[in-house]
Amino acid sequence: MNDDAFVKFSEVSKSYDGRTLSVQDFSLSVARGEFVTLLGPSGSGKTTCLKMLAGFEEPNSGEIWLNGRPVNQLKPWKRNIGVVFQHYALFPHMTIAENLAFPLRARRIAAKEIARSVLRALDMVQLQNFAARRPAQLSGGQQQRVAIARALVFEPDLVLMDEPLGALDRRLREEMQYEIRALQQRLGVTMIYVTHDQNEAMVLSDRVAVMEQGRISQVASPEALYEEPQRLFVANFIGENNQLEGRIVAYRPDECQVEVGGEIVRAFPVAVTANDVQTSVTIRPERVALNPAPGLYPNCFKAQVEDIIFMGDYLRIHATLLGQTQFIVKIPNIIGHGGILPGDTVTLGWLVTDCRALDVRVEEETE
C-alpha cells in the first residue's frame, strides 16, 4: 500500500445482481486531511463506493484500506468513521445534546467526557445555545449542522458525506458549503463527499473524482478538471462547453488542425495522436471573444446570432458557427452590449490553448 494514502480503494468492484457492475475496477487514494469529492450523475456508483468504505456494503472484489489496514471484513462500528446523509437521521424524541451523545454512549464513553465532547461539538457548528431543543424546533440548516456535529463528536478518523445538502434551498446550500469547507480545514479531518452538483464539488474539494458508469473518468483539482479535462465526459460535466465535431487533418504534439464545417480549427490535442481521426473540439463559452481585433486570435470565424439571453451579470449569446447550432458565448453585462441583435453576423475568436481536441474513440470504448 502507498504509505501516503490514508484511504485507498484498490481495483474494487461491486454488483448487486451478479450481472451488472455498479462499481468496476475502482481505484482511488486519499491523503490524510484531504477533502475529496466523488462527483457524477445518478447511477455512476459514487454512493456505492461510500457505502463500501463505511462498511454498509461489501465489495465483490478488490481491497479497501483505511489508515494502513484492510477493512473489507471489518464491521462498520469498528472503522471509526463518521457519516452524514442527505436526510439528517436525527432522533426526533431526543434533544440535540442527546442526539450528539448517542454515538458516544454506544462507545461506552464516560459521562463526564460525553458532556465535554457534546459541548465541543456544538461549539464547532456554532449551536451552543440549542442543546436543549429537539430537531423539529430547528431549521433545515441547523439540523444539518447537528448531523455534521454528530459525525464529528467521537473524533473519527474519517468523515463521509452523502449528498448532505440536497434537501436545502439554494441560498442555504451555498452557505453550508463554505461552512463545511471551513470546518474541515480548521479540524484537519479527512473527508470524502458525494454529490452530483458540480458547483458544490468545485467549492468544497481539494480534489474531485469524476465518475461515469462505475469508473473514475478523471481525478484532479477543481481547477485542473475545468481547465484541462482529459475526456469529453469530464469536459461536458464540469462547467459548460461548446462542442464541435470534426476530423483531424494535421497533428503536432502541441497543436492539431481539425476540419469542422469546411474550415480549420486549431486546437490543443488531448489523447489525440494521429491524422484522419474523428474528434470533438471543446471551447468554454467565456473563453470566446466577440468581434475581436483582426489578427488577435488564431481561431476566428463568422457566426450568426440566434438569440441573446439576459442572465444578470452576463449575457448568453446563442449562435450558429461552422454549420453547428447552439454555440454559446458568455459576455459581461456592460454598457454597449445592446449593439448586438438576433440575426446579426459577428466574428468569434479564441486561442489554441482554450480549445481542446478530445478523441471520441476514448468515449466510445467505455459505452
Side-chain angles (χ1 to χ4, degrees), residues 213-282:
Q213 298 179 349
R215 293 181 173 179
I216 292 178
S217 287
Q218 186 177 349
V219 56
S221 69
E223 181 178 0
L225 286 175
Y226 189 85
E227 300 292 352
E228 301 173 4
Q230 298 299 307
R231 297 190 60 209
L232 187 58
F233 176 81
V234 176
N236 289 331
F237 198 81
I238 301 291
E240 187 174 22
N241 249 311
N242 291 300
Q243 184 175 326
L244 302 173
E245 305 302 331
R247 183 177 61 88
I248 296 175
V249 294
Y251 169 81
R252 296 201 318 261
D254 61 339
E255 182 181 315
C256 62
Q257 296 183 14
V258 184
E259 183 181 13
V260 180
E263 299 280 355
I264 297 298
V265 176
R266 295 167 60 185
F268 180 78
V270 179
V272 175
T273 59
N275 293 335
D276 201 30
V277 295
Q278 294 298 119
T279 186
S280 294
V281 176
T282 63

Side-chain angles (χ1 to χ4, degrees), residues 91-148:
F91 297 112
H93 62 287
M94 292 184 181
T95 66
I96 299 309
E98 289 169 341
N99 266 278
L100 297 187
F102 183 82
L104 298 172
R105 291 199 179 100
R107 288 166 172 78
R108 299 182 181 179
I109 305 298
K112 288 184 178 180
E113 183 57 32
I114 288 177
R116 284 194 293 268
S117 296
V118 167
L119 289 176
R120 186 166 59 246
L122 286 171
D123 184 61
M124 283 182 199
V125 295
Q126 301 176 8
L127 290 175
Q128 302 92 327
N129 299 323
F130 294 79
R133 297 193 189 185
R134 298 187 188 279
Q137 297 173 301
L138 273 59
S139 68
Q142 290 168 336
Q143 290 184 50
Q144 191 56 281
R145 288 185 193 174
V146 174
I148 292 170

